[in-house]
Amino acid sequence: MRDIPDVLVVGAGAAGIVAAWRAASLGARVLLLEKTPRIGTKILISGGGKCNVCHDGPMEEVLKGFRPNEARFLRPSFYRFSNQDLLRLLTDRGLRVYTRPNGRVFPVDQTAKDVVAILAEVLAETGVEVRRATPVRRLSHQEGRVTGVETAEGAIPCERVVVSTGGSSYPNSGTTGDGYRWARDLGHTVVPVRAALAPIYLRTDSTWADLSGVSLRDVVLRARKGDKVLDRWRDDLLFTHHGVSGPTALEVSRAVAEAGAEGVSLDVDLLPDRTPEQVAEWALELATTHPRKRLRSLLDGIVPERLTDRVLIAAKAEGETPLGQVDRKTRNRLLETLKRWPIGEARTVPLEKGEVVAGGIALDEVDPKTMRSLRCEGLYLCGEVLDVAGRVGGYNLQAAWSTGFVAGETAARDAETHAGRMP
Ligand SMILES: Cc1cc2nc3c(=O)[nH]c(=O)nc-3n(C[C@H](O)[C@H](O)[C@H](O)COP(=O)(O)OP(=O)(O)OC[C@H]3O[C@@H](n4cnc5c(N)ncnc54)[C@H](O)[C@@H]3O)c2cc1C
């Protein structure tokens, strides 16, 4: 593009691609600059390479995947470009999708590559010029107005710049928090960044290392500081070399990170559908009907065999004791452990391993209806660079698609206005 672009988009992730496509489809000349040699890098690794493109259901329900202040901010863009709009964009171009019972939408062929291929197609269709392997070094500005960007190849002037540089987790995918630095230079507040949707490393990691890969199905993981439950989540839990991962750990990780990890303990409810009284009744009944069965058999079907001894140790119980001979105190300890099995103290929540980061450009400094910066003219902000972080389930990509769409649309309309082409 030899002419000065109408709109320049920095960062070709979900938000930047949609911003560029939307601006170009409104007639703007758009230049999309991407630091890495490919577009949609994070989309490619999303959902374990399968890409959970969005969450199904009414947008009001989808907004519940975010904290209330984030949902308030996202509402206008979620209605402007909804999950159905996104799916139409993809399915009109041949992607087949299916919705899991938990509302998560995936490509039928289970590959994120197809999603990125379609996005590349729409960029080409609308004439967006994409420059890969072109990191932007900084944003140029003058008297509170954006004037362009600087790259290794030189300066590119442009009066409307969309910043969609993502967060700062998974730095190998190109996201090293560049947008935060630029926004700060331009007068924005950047809410301190911390991990969200990340594994939790435990202090006792060495004791879990040999169990790496073992998982628990449908349990409740709780994070507590003292007596206060910081967060809880019901789903699967995976033991890793350093601690825990899987949906439950990712979901509570934000609360653990926000509490500073230090002093936060984790415990598991292995029987979330039963009250302590029901568990006690069931154990008593088993002891009466099968007095010769070993105590460890109580754990059959509740935890994988490799975890049985850990639970028994936590309950200070001897697994070989026949059920009929277990004293009341031991039985109570075991029952308590089934409802609250302590698995250790958090050591850290590694930011770089977060599927998303919490924190980022303060939401009250961006207009939620247009994604215009309220600090600097000609600047539009979208995607994970903003202070939003949703739950697991396609929420975060939706935030990127929707805010990207609105940012691109506004930038293109502003370009028209300035060129005097708007009616
Ligand atoms: C392992 C993993 C799995 C995930 N799975 C899912 C999932 O299944 N569903 C879901 O909804 N969410 C998922 N997420 C979260 C989701 O991928 C992100 O929230 C989303 O991609 C953010 O989009 P974005 O466009 O804002 O930022 P990104 O996708 O991170 O894109 C930012 C882009 O900007 C580029 N960039 C950065 N700095 C510069 C610069 N200086 N110059 C030029 N370009 C620059 C980067 O290279 C990058 O390509 C997952 C994340 C990870 C890490």
mmCIF file of all heavy atoms in Angstrom, residues 10-16 33-36 41-43 45-48 51-52 104 134-136 164-167 169-170 173-176 178 182 354-356 382-385 393-398 400, ligand 1:
data_model
loop_
_atom_site.group_PDB
_atom_site.id
_atom_site.type_symbol
_atom_site.label_atom_id
_atom_site.label_comp_id
_atom_site.label_asym_id
_atom_site.label_seq_id
_atom_site.Cartn_x
_atom_site.Cartn_y
_atom_site.Cartn_z
ATOM 1 N N VAL A 10 -2.812 -2.951 14.341
ATOM 2 C CA VAL A 10 -1.568 -3.557 14.838
ATOM 3 C C VAL A 10 -1.904 -4.827 15.605
ATOM 4 O O VAL A 10 -2.538 -4.773 16.665
ATOM 5 C CB VAL A 10 -0.806 -2.585 15.767
ATOM 6 C CG1 VAL A 10 0.563 -3.180 16.110
ATOM 7 C CG2 VAL A 10 -0.656 -1.222 15.131
ATOM 8 N N GLY A 11 -1.482 -5.976 15.064
ATOM 9 C CA GLY A 11 -1.708 -7.252 15.729
ATOM 10 C C GLY A 11 -2.779 -8.049 15.016
ATOM 11 O O GLY A 11 -3.954 -7.656 15.013
ATOM 12 N N ALA A 12 -2.367 -9.165 14.389
ATOM 13 C CA ALA A 12 -3.329 -9.980 13.630
ATOM 14 C C ALA A 12 -3.767 -11.197 14.424
ATOM 15 O O ALA A 12 -3.575 -12.338 14.018
ATOM 16 C CB ALA A 12 -2.740 -10.373 12.283
ATOM 17 N N GLY A 13 -4.349 -10.955 15.588
ATOM 18 C CA GLY A 13 -5.032 -12.008 16.332
ATOM 19 C C GLY A 13 -6.511 -11.911 15.998
ATOM 20 O O GLY A 13 -6.905 -11.237 15.026
ATOM 21 N N ALA A 14 -7.330 -12.553 16.821
ATOM 22 C CA ALA A 14 -8.769 -12.564 16.555
ATOM 23 C C ALA A 14 -9.333 -11.149 16.440
ATOM 24 O O ALA A 14 -10.078 -10.835 15.497
ATOM 25 C CB ALA A 14 -9.482 -13.334 17.676
ATOM 26 N N ALA A 15 -8.965 -10.281 17.370
ATOM 27 C CA ALA A 15 -9.527 -8.925 17.382
ATOM 28 C C ALA A 15 -9.039 -8.127 16.173
ATOM 29 O O ALA A 15 -9.831 -7.474 15.480
ATOM 30 C CB ALA A 15 -9.141 -8.216 18.682
ATOM 31 N N GLY A 16 -7.737 -8.185 15.901
ATOM 32 C CA GLY A 16 -7.168 -7.390 14.819
ATOM 33 C C GLY A 16 -7.656 -7.839 13.450
ATOM 34 O O GLY A 16 -7.930 -7.007 12.571
ATOM 35 N N LEU A 33 -0.682 -4.985 10.420
ATOM 36 C CA LEU A 33 0.718 -5.326 10.703
ATOM 37 C C LEU A 33 0.779 -6.390 11.791
ATOM 38 O O LEU A 33 0.166 -6.249 12.851
ATOM 39 C CB LEU A 33 1.481 -4.078 11.184
ATOM 40 C CG LEU A 33 1.498 -2.882 10.242
ATOM 41 C CD1 LEU A 33 2.292 -1.731 10.870
ATOM 42 C CD2 LEU A 33 2.088 -3.256 8.885
ATOM 43 N N GLU A 34 1.529 -7.435 11.535
ATOM 44 C CA GLU A 34 1.648 -8.527 12.497
ATOM 45 C C GLU A 34 3.126 -8.809 12.772
ATOM 46 O O GLU A 34 3.922 -8.942 11.856
ATOM 47 C CB GLU A 34 0.931 -9.784 11.969
ATOM 48 C CG GLU A 34 1.233 -11.077 12.692
ATOM 49 C CD GLU A 34 1.003 -11.042 14.206
ATOM 50 O OE1 GLU A 34 0.013 -10.437 14.657
ATOM 51 O OE2 GLU A 34 1.845 -11.617 14.938
ATOM 52 N N LYS A 35 3.426 -8.920 14.054
ATOM 53 C CA LYS A 35 4.802 -9.142 14.480
ATOM 54 C C LYS A 35 5.372 -10.493 14.028
ATOM 55 O O LYS A 35 6.507 -10.594 13.577
ATOM 56 C CB LYS A 35 4.805 -9.089 16.017
ATOM 57 C CG LYS A 35 6.143 -9.274 16.658
ATOM 58 C CD LYS A 35 5.967 -9.607 18.135
ATOM 59 C CE LYS A 35 6.049 -8.375 18.995
ATOM 60 N NZ LYS A 35 6.019 -8.684 20.436
ATOM 61 N N THR A 36 4.556 -11.553 14.137
ATOM 62 C CA THR A 36 5.062 -12.903 13.843
ATOM 63 C C THR A 36 4.894 -13.219 12.352
ATOM 64 O O THR A 36 4.192 -12.497 11.640
ATOM 65 C CB THR A 36 4.292 -13.960 14.675
ATOM 66 O OG1 THR A 36 2.947 -14.010 14.211
ATOM 67 C CG2 THR A 36 4.311 -13.640 16.157
ATOM 68 N N THR A 41 -2.039 -16.611 15.368
ATOM 69 C CA THR A 41 -1.228 -17.616 16.077
ATOM 70 C C THR A 41 -1.961 -18.175 17.296
ATOM 71 O O THR A 41 -1.970 -19.384 17.529
ATOM 72 C CB THR A 41 0.113 -16.988 16.533
ATOM 73 O OG1 THR A 41 0.717 -16.417 15.386
ATOM 74 C CG2 THR A 41 1.038 -18.011 17.143
ATOM 75 N N LYS A 42 -2.573 -17.300 18.056
ATOM 76 C CA LYS A 42 -3.236 -17.785 19.276
ATOM 77 C C LYS A 42 -4.522 -18.543 18.962
ATOM 78 O O LYS A 42 -4.901 -19.453 19.683
ATOM 79 C CB LYS A 42 -3.515 -16.619 20.220
ATOM 80 C CG LYS A 42 -3.151 -16.981 21.638
ATOM 81 C CD LYS A 42 -3.194 -15.824 22.559
ATOM 82 C CE LYS A 42 -1.875 -15.657 23.268
ATOM 83 N NZ LYS A 42 -1.882 -14.450 24.098
ATOM 84 N N ILE A 43 -5.145 -18.177 17.862
ATOM 85 C CA ILE A 43 -6.334 -18.941 17.452
ATOM 86 C C ILE A 43 -5.899 -20.378 17.152
ATOM 87 O O ILE A 43 -6.578 -21.339 17.508
ATOM 88 C CB ILE A 43 -7.005 -18.317 16.206
ATOM 89 C CG1 ILE A 43 -7.415 -16.869 16.481
ATOM 90 C CG2 ILE A 43 -8.211 -19.146 15.764
ATOM 91 C CD1 ILE A 43 -7.914 -16.113 15.249
ATOM 92 N N ILE A 45 -3.602 -22.121 18.486
ATOM 93 C CA ILE A 45 -3.330 -22.959 19.669
ATOM 94 C C ILE A 45 -4.544 -23.021 20.606
ATOM 95 O O ILE A 45 -4.516 -23.698 21.623
ATOM 96 C CB ILE A 45 -2.082 -22.483 20.460
ATOM 97 C CG1 ILE A 45 -2.235 -21.033 20.930
ATOM 98 C CG2 ILE A 45 -0.821 -22.668 19.652
ATOM 99 C CD1 ILE A 45 -1.130 -20.581 21.880
ATOM 100 N N SER A 46 -5.591 -22.305 20.250
ATOM 101 C CA SER A 46 -6.732 -22.241 21.170
ATOM 102 C C SER A 46 -7.478 -23.579 21.225
ATOM 103 O O SER A 46 -7.483 -24.335 20.249
ATOM 104 C CB SER A 46 -7.692 -21.123 20.748
ATOM 105 O OG SER A 46 -8.281 -21.448 19.515
ATOM 106 N N GLY A 47 -8.053 -23.819 22.387
ATOM 107 C CA GLY A 47 -8.838 -25.048 22.574
ATOM 108 C C GLY A 47 -8.039 -26.298 22.250
ATOM 109 O O GLY A 47 -8.574 -27.248 21.672
ATOM 110 N N GLY A 48 -6.749 -26.273 22.591
ATOM 111 C CA GLY A 48 -5.893 -27.432 22.311
ATOM 112 C C GLY A 48 -5.782 -27.677 20.807
ATOM 113 O O GLY A 48 -5.688 -28.823 20.361
ATOM 114 N N CYS A 51 -9.850 -25.049 18.755
ATOM 115 C CA CYS A 51 -10.460 -23.721 18.730
ATOM 116 C C CYS A 51 -11.939 -23.709 19.132
ATOM 117 O O CYS A 51 -12.821 -23.978 18.315
ATOM 118 C CB CYS A 51 -10.300 -23.040 17.376
ATOM 119 S SG CYS A 51 -10.915 -21.337 17.415
ATOM 120 N N ASN A 52 -12.143 -23.377 20.370
ATOM 121 C CA ASN A 52 -13.504 -23.153 20.880
ATOM 122 C C ASN A 52 -13.879 -21.730 20.450
ATOM 123 O O ASN A 52 -13.617 -20.774 21.160
ATOM 124 C CB ASN A 52 -13.461 -23.303 22.406
ATOM 125 C CG ASN A 52 -14.752 -23.020 23.095
ATOM 126 O OD1 ASN A 52 -14.770 -22.852 24.298
ATOM 127 N ND2 ASN A 52 -15.840 -22.959 22.369
ATOM 128 N N ARG A 104 -20.091 -24.884 24.467
ATOM 129 C CA ARG A 104 -18.871 -24.493 23.755
ATOM 130 C C ARG A 104 -18.968 -24.911 22.286
ATOM 131 O O ARG A 104 -19.295 -26.051 21.986
ATOM 132 C CB ARG A 104 -17.652 -25.134 24.419
ATOM 133 C CG ARG A 104 -17.489 -24.666 25.851
ATOM 134 C CD ARG A 104 -16.418 -25.445 26.581
ATOM 135 N NE ARG A 104 -15.106 -25.163 26.022
ATOM 136 C CZ ARG A 104 -13.970 -25.587 26.567
ATOM 137 N NH1 ARG A 104 -13.982 -26.304 27.681
ATOM 138 N NH2 ARG A 104 -12.811 -25.288 26.022
ATOM 139 N N THR A 134 6.258 -8.108 10.844
ATOM 140 C CA THR A 134 6.480 -6.664 10.885
ATOM 141 C C THR A 134 6.090 -6.112 12.258
ATOM 142 O O THR A 134 4.974 -5.615 12.442
ATOM 143 C CB THR A 134 5.650 -5.952 9.774
ATOM 144 O OG1 THR A 134 5.927 -6.590 8.529
ATOM 145 C CG2 THR A 134 5.979 -4.475 9.687
ATOM 146 N N PRO A 135 6.986 -6.229 13.220
ATOM 147 C CA PRO A 135 6.633 -5.716 14.542
ATOM 148 C C PRO A 135 6.586 -4.187 14.560
ATOM 149 O O PRO A 135 7.443 -3.545 13.954
ATOM 150 C CB PRO A 135 7.766 -6.231 15.443
ATOM 151 C CG PRO A 135 8.862 -6.674 14.542
ATOM 152 C CD PRO A 135 8.294 -6.880 13.176
ATOM 153 N N VAL A 136 5.570 -3.689 15.206
ATOM 154 C CA VAL A 136 5.500 -2.241 15.421
ATOM 155 C C VAL A 136 6.313 -1.930 16.664
ATOM 156 O O VAL A 136 6.197 -2.616 17.686
ATOM 157 C CB VAL A 136 4.025 -1.797 15.585
ATOM 158 C CG1 VAL A 136 3.929 -0.386 16.136
ATOM 159 C CG2 VAL A 136 3.301 -1.913 14.255
ATOM 160 N N SER A 164 -4.490 -3.960 18.689
ATOM 161 C CA SER A 164 -5.066 -5.274 19.045
ATOM 162 C C SER A 164 -3.901 -6.240 19.278
ATOM 163 O O SER A 164 -3.812 -7.283 18.642
ATOM 164 C CB SER A 164 -5.971 -5.761 17.914
ATOM 165 O OG SER A 164 -5.321 -5.597 16.661
ATOM 166 N N THR A 165 -3.020 -5.838 20.170
ATOM 167 C CA THR A 165 -1.768 -6.588 20.376
ATOM 168 C C THR A 165 -1.890 -7.669 21.436
ATOM 169 O O THR A 165 -0.893 -8.294 21.803
ATOM 170 C CB THR A 165 -0.637 -5.614 20.772
ATOM 171 O OG1 THR A 165 -1.144 -4.742 21.782
ATOM 172 C CG2 THR A 165 -0.154 -4.797 19.587
ATOM 173 N N GLY A 166 -3.100 -7.898 21.955
ATOM 174 C CA GLY A 166 -3.304 -8.992 22.902
ATOM 175 C C GLY A 166 -2.696 -8.711 24.266
ATOM 176 O O GLY A 166 -2.372 -7.559 24.611
ATOM 177 N N GLY A 167 -2.536 -9.780 25.030
ATOM 178 C CA GLY A 167 -2.046 -9.640 26.414
ATOM 179 C C GLY A 167 -0.558 -9.892 26.513
ATOM 180 O O GLY A 167 0.211 -9.476 25.635
ATOM 181 N N SER A 169 0.575 -13.147 28.049
ATOM 182 C CA SER A 169 0.871 -14.551 28.328
ATOM 183 C C SER A 169 1.292 -15.210 27.010
ATOM 184 O O SER A 169 1.157 -14.606 25.948
ATOM 185 C CB SER A 169 -0.350 -15.256 28.907
ATOM 186 O OG SER A 169 -1.415 -15.243 27.975
ATOM 187 N N TYR A 170 1.813 -16.411 27.078
ATOM 188 C CA TYR A 170 2.298 -17.114 25.883
ATOM 189 C C TYR A 170 3.143 -16.171 25.010
ATOM 190 O O TYR A 170 2.826 -15.939 23.839
ATOM 191 C CB TYR A 170 1.125 -17.683 25.076
ATOM 192 C CG TYR A 170 0.629 -19.001 25.628
ATOM 193 C CD1 TYR A 170 -0.160 -19.039 26.766
ATOM 194 C CD2 TYR A 170 0.986 -20.211 25.033
ATOM 195 C CE1 TYR A 170 -0.592 -20.245 27.306
ATOM 196 C CE2 TYR A 170 0.548 -21.420 25.558
ATOM 197 C CZ TYR A 170 -0.239 -21.427 26.697
ATOM 198 O OH TYR A 170 -0.668 -22.613 27.211
ATOM 199 N N SER A 173 3.997 -16.595 21.350
ATOM 200 C CA SER A 173 3.023 -16.424 20.275
ATOM 201 C C SER A 173 2.984 -14.968 19.801
ATOM 202 O O SER A 173 2.142 -14.607 18.979
ATOM 203 C CB SER A 173 1.633 -16.886 20.728
ATOM 204 O OG SER A 173 1.124 -16.003 21.702
ATOM 205 N N GLY A 174 3.889 -14.154 20.304
ATOM 206 C CA GLY A 174 3.989 -12.764 19.822
ATOM 207 C C GLY A 174 3.464 -11.735 20.806
ATOM 208 O O GLY A 174 3.649 -10.528 20.620
ATOM 209 N N THR A 175 2.787 -12.203 21.847
ATOM 210 C CA THR A 175 2.152 -11.257 22.767
ATOM 211 C C THR A 175 3.075 -10.966 23.956
ATOM 212 O O THR A 175 3.203 -11.774 24.865
ATOM 213 C CB THR A 175 0.804 -11.805 23.264
ATOM 214 O OG1 THR A 175 0.970 -13.195 23.575
ATOM 215 C CG2 THR A 175 -0.264 -11.683 22.206
ATOM 216 N N THR A 176 3.700 -9.809 23.868
ATOM 217 C CA THR A 176 4.653 -9.440 24.929
ATOM 218 C C THR A 176 4.258 -8.131 25.599
ATOM 219 O O THR A 176 5.099 -7.422 26.135
ATOM 220 C CB THR A 176 6.076 -9.342 24.338
ATOM 221 O OG1 THR A 176 6.010 -8.537 23.151
ATOM 222 C CG2 THR A 176 6.639 -10.714 23.978
ATOM 223 N N ASP A 178 3.161 -5.298 24.346
ATOM 224 C CA ASP A 178 3.585 -4.039 23.708
ATOM 225 C C ASP A 178 2.496 -2.966 23.798
ATOM 226 O O ASP A 178 2.783 -1.799 24.046
ATOM 227 C CB ASP A 178 3.934 -4.267 22.222
ATOM 228 C CG ASP A 178 5.029 -5.306 22.053
ATOM 229 O OD1 ASP A 178 5.486 -5.853 23.073
ATOM 230 O OD2 ASP A 178 5.423 -5.574 20.908
ATOM 231 N N TRP A 182 2.493 1.214 24.971
ATOM 232 C CA TRP A 182 2.080 2.328 24.117
ATOM 233 C C TRP A 182 0.905 3.072 24.747
ATOM 234 O O TRP A 182 0.864 4.298 24.737
ATOM 235 C CB TRP A 182 1.656 1.837 22.731
ATOM 236 C CG TRP A 182 2.683 1.001 22.028
ATOM 237 C CD1 TRP A 182 4.043 1.058 22.180
ATOM 238 C CD2 TRP A 182 2.430 -0.022 21.058
ATOM 239 N NE1 TRP A 182 4.642 0.141 21.357
ATOM 240 C CE2 TRP A 182 3.684 -0.548 20.651
ATOM 241 C CE3 TRP A 182 1.274 -0.552 20.482
ATOM 242 C CZ2 TRP A 182 3.801 -1.565 19.702
ATOM 243 C CZ3 TRP A 182 1.398 -1.560 19.545
ATOM 244 C CH2 TRP A 182 2.646 -2.061 19.158
ATOM 245 N N GLY A 354 -0.919 -18.463 31.163
ATOM 246 C CA GLY A 354 -2.354 -18.178 31.209
ATOM 247 C C GLY A 354 -2.958 -18.177 29.813
ATOM 248 O O GLY A 354 -2.377 -17.631 28.880
ATOM 249 N N GLU A 355 -4.130 -18.781 29.668
ATOM 250 C CA GLU A 355 -4.813 -18.714 28.367
ATOM 251 C C GLU A 355 -5.216 -17.275 28.081
ATOM 252 O O GLU A 355 -5.461 -16.889 26.956
ATOM 253 C CB GLU A 355 -6.047 -19.618 28.359
ATOM 254 C CG GLU A 355 -5.672 -21.067 28.277
ATOM 255 C CD GLU A 355 -6.823 -21.966 27.857
ATOM 256 O OE1 GLU A 355 -7.924 -21.460 27.589
ATOM 257 O OE2 GLU A 355 -6.588 -23.184 27.826
ATOM 258 N N VAL A 356 -5.301 -16.520 29.156
ATOM 259 C CA VAL A 356 -5.673 -15.120 29.014
ATOM 260 C C VAL A 356 -5.097 -14.407 30.237
ATOM 261 O O VAL A 356 -4.812 -15.060 31.242
ATOM 262 C CB VAL A 356 -7.221 -15.026 28.913
ATOM 263 C CG1 VAL A 356 -7.908 -15.376 30.189
ATOM 264 C CG2 VAL A 356 -7.695 -13.697 28.431
ATOM 265 N N CYS A 382 -8.915 -2.894 21.244
ATOM 266 C CA CYS A 382 -9.824 -4.040 21.252
ATOM 267 C C CYS A 382 -9.093 -5.327 21.623
ATOM 268 O O CYS A 382 -7.865 -5.405 21.543
ATOM 269 C CB CYS A 382 -10.495 -4.204 19.886
ATOM 270 S SG CYS A 382 -9.351 -4.313 18.518
ATOM 271 N N GLY A 383 -9.871 -6.305 22.048
ATOM 272 C CA GLY A 383 -9.311 -7.617 22.376
ATOM 273 C C GLY A 383 -8.687 -7.654 23.763
ATOM 274 O O GLY A 383 -9.010 -6.856 24.649
ATOM 275 N N GLU A 384 -7.769 -8.573 23.900
ATOM 276 C CA GLU A 384 -7.221 -8.882 25.222
ATOM 277 C C GLU A 384 -6.340 -7.780 25.803
ATOM 278 O O GLU A 384 -6.024 -7.804 26.999
ATOM 279 C CB GLU A 384 -6.427 -10.190 25.113
ATOM 280 C CG GLU A 384 -6.311 -10.918 26.428
ATOM 281 C CD GLU A 384 -5.433 -12.162 26.293
ATOM 282 O OE1 GLU A 384 -5.537 -12.867 25.280
ATOM 283 O OE2 GLU A 384 -4.650 -12.396 27.225
ATOM 284 N N VAL A 385 -5.945 -6.824 24.977
ATOM 285 C CA VAL A 385 -5.150 -5.702 25.493
ATOM 286 C C VAL A 385 -5.973 -4.897 26.517
ATOM 287 O O VAL A 385 -5.427 -4.197 27.366
ATOM 288 C CB VAL A 385 -4.651 -4.818 24.306
ATOM 289 C CG1 VAL A 385 -5.775 -3.970 23.740
ATOM 290 C CG2 VAL A 385 -3.460 -3.966 24.710
ATOM 291 N N GLY A 393 -14.359 -21.320 27.785
ATOM 292 C CA GLY A 393 -15.599 -21.708 27.095
ATOM 293 C C GLY A 393 -15.906 -20.907 25.852
ATOM 294 O O GLY A 393 -17.060 -20.868 25.421
ATOM 295 N N GLY A 394 -14.927 -20.245 25.259
ATOM 296 C CA GLY A 394 -15.184 -19.474 24.045
ATOM 297 C C GLY A 394 -15.500 -18.018 24.333
ATOM 298 O O GLY A 394 -15.754 -17.236 23.414
ATOM 299 N N TYR A 395 -15.483 -17.649 25.609
ATOM 300 C CA TYR A 395 -15.830 -16.272 25.998
ATOM 301 C C TYR A 395 -14.750 -15.274 25.554
ATOM 302 O O TYR A 395 -15.044 -14.164 25.121
ATOM 303 C CB TYR A 395 -16.007 -16.170 27.512
ATOM 304 C CG TYR A 395 -17.106 -17.047 28.043
ATOM 305 C CD1 TYR A 395 -16.828 -18.268 28.646
ATOM 306 C CD2 TYR A 395 -18.441 -16.661 27.932
ATOM 307 C CE1 TYR A 395 -17.832 -19.075 29.130
ATOM 308 C CE2 TYR A 395 -19.460 -17.465 28.410
ATOM 309 C CZ TYR A 395 -19.148 -18.674 29.011
ATOM 310 O OH TYR A 395 -20.154 -19.476 29.479
ATOM 311 N N ASN A 396 -13.496 -15.682 25.691
ATOM 312 C CA ASN A 396 -12.419 -14.726 25.413
ATOM 313 C C ASN A 396 -12.284 -14.429 23.929
ATOM 314 O O ASN A 396 -12.052 -13.285 23.545
ATOM 315 C CB ASN A 396 -11.105 -15.228 26.027
ATOM 316 C CG ASN A 396 -11.174 -15.108 27.534
ATOM 317 O OD1 ASN A 396 -11.285 -14.004 28.067
ATOM 318 N ND2 ASN A 396 -11.167 -16.244 28.224
ATOM 319 N N LEU A 397 -12.450 -15.463 23.125
ATOM 320 C CA LEU A 397 -12.428 -15.181 21.684
ATOM 321 C C LEU A 397 -13.618 -14.306 21.300
ATOM 322 O O LEU A 397 -13.493 -13.407 20.488
ATOM 323 C CB LEU A 397 -12.414 -16.487 20.884
ATOM 324 C CG LEU A 397 -11.018 -17.101 20.710
ATOM 325 C CD1 LEU A 397 -11.099 -18.480 20.071
ATOM 326 C CD2 LEU A 397 -10.099 -16.201 19.880
ATOM 327 N N GLN A 398 -14.772 -14.554 21.921
ATOM 328 C CA GLN A 398 -15.932 -13.713 21.612
ATOM 329 C C GLN A 398 -15.631 -12.245 21.933
ATOM 330 O O GLN A 398 -15.995 -11.341 21.169
ATOM 331 C CB GLN A 398 -17.166 -14.179 22.399
ATOM 332 C CG GLN A 398 -18.429 -13.396 22.057
ATOM 333 C CD GLN A 398 -18.926 -13.689 20.639
ATOM 334 O OE1 GLN A 398 -19.145 -14.833 20.286
ATOM 335 N NE2 GLN A 398 -19.084 -12.648 19.828
ATOM 336 N N ALA A 400 -12.803 -10.829 21.836
ATOM 337 C CA ALA A 400 -11.892 -10.326 20.798
ATOM 338 C C ALA A 400 -12.643 -10.062 19.491
ATOM 339 O O ALA A 400 -12.506 -9.000 18.882
ATOM 340 C CB ALA A 400 -10.756 -11.319 20.568
HETATM 341 C C1 LIG B 1 -3.353 -22.006 24.887
HETATM 342 C C2 LIG B 1 -4.547 -21.096 24.713
HETATM 343 C C3 LIG B 1 -5.789 -21.646 24.443
HETATM 344 C C4 LIG B 1 -6.902 -20.803 24.320
HETATM 345 N N1 LIG B 1 -8.106 -21.350 23.996
HETATM 346 C C5 LIG B 1 -9.181 -20.547 23.819
HETATM 347 C C6 LIG B 1 -10.405 -21.064 23.348
HETATM 348 O O1 LIG B 1 -10.501 -22.247 22.976
HETATM 349 N N2 LIG B 1 -11.463 -20.223 23.270
HETATM 350 C C7 LIG B 1 -11.384 -18.900 23.611
HETATM 351 O O2 LIG B 1 -12.382 -18.192 23.544
HETATM 352 N N3 LIG B 1 -10.220 -18.373 23.999
HETATM 353 C C8 LIG B 1 -9.114 -19.151 24.083
HETATM 354 N N4 LIG B 1 -7.912 -18.600 24.438
HETATM 355 C C9 LIG B 1 -7.849 -17.145 24.645
HETATM 356 C C10 LIG B 1 -7.869 -16.422 23.288
HETATM 357 O O3 LIG B 1 -7.015 -17.092 22.392
HETATM 358 C C11 LIG B 1 -7.445 -14.973 23.440
HETATM 359 O O4 LIG B 1 -8.225 -14.368 24.433
HETATM 360 C C12 LIG B 1 -7.625 -14.233 22.123
HETATM 361 O O5 LIG B 1 -6.859 -14.868 21.111
HETATM 362 C C13 LIG B 1 -7.193 -12.786 22.240
HETATM 363 O O6 LIG B 1 -7.282 -12.209 20.961
HETATM 364 P P1 LIG B 1 -6.533 -10.854 20.618
HETATM 365 O O7 LIG B 1 -6.729 -10.650 19.163
HETATM 366 O O8 LIG B 1 -6.945 -9.798 21.543
HETATM 367 O O9 LIG B 1 -5.010 -11.149 20.923
HETATM 368 P P2 LIG B 1 -4.031 -12.219 20.280
HETATM 369 O O10 LIG B 1 -4.787 -13.323 19.649
HETATM 370 O O11 LIG B 1 -3.072 -12.549 21.332
HETATM 371 O O12 LIG B 1 -3.336 -11.430 19.096
HETATM 372 C C14 LIG B 1 -2.457 -10.366 19.304
HETATM 373 C C15 LIG B 1 -1.548 -10.297 18.097
HETATM 374 O O13 LIG B 1 -0.781 -9.078 18.155
HETATM 375 C C16 LIG B 1 0.518 -9.343 17.697
HETATM 376 N N5 LIG B 1 1.422 -8.317 18.211
HETATM 377 C C17 LIG B 1 1.790 -8.116 19.493
HETATM 378 N N6 LIG B 1 2.649 -7.089 19.579
HETATM 379 C C18 LIG B 1 2.817 -6.637 18.314
HETATM 380 C C19 LIG B 1 3.619 -5.614 17.738
HETATM 381 N N7 LIG B 1 4.442 -4.859 18.495
HETATM 382 N N8 LIG B 1 3.562 -5.398 16.405
HETATM 383 C C20 LIG B 1 2.767 -6.171 15.612
HETATM 384 N N9 LIG B 1 2.007 -7.167 16.100
HETATM 385 C C21 LIG B 1 2.029 -7.404 17.434
HETATM 386 C C22 LIG B 1 0.799 -10.741 18.241
HETATM 387 O O14 LIG B 1 1.855 -11.363 17.544
HETATM 388 C C23 LIG B 1 -0.539 -11.427 18.053
HETATM 389 O O15 LIG B 1 -0.615 -12.061 16.792
HETATM 390 C C24 LIG B 1 -6.775 -19.397 24.506
HETATM 391 C C25 LIG B 1 -5.515 -18.860 24.746
HETATM 392 C C26 LIG B 1 -4.409 -19.690 24.833
HETATM 393 C C27 LIG B 1 -3.059 -19.078 25.074
#
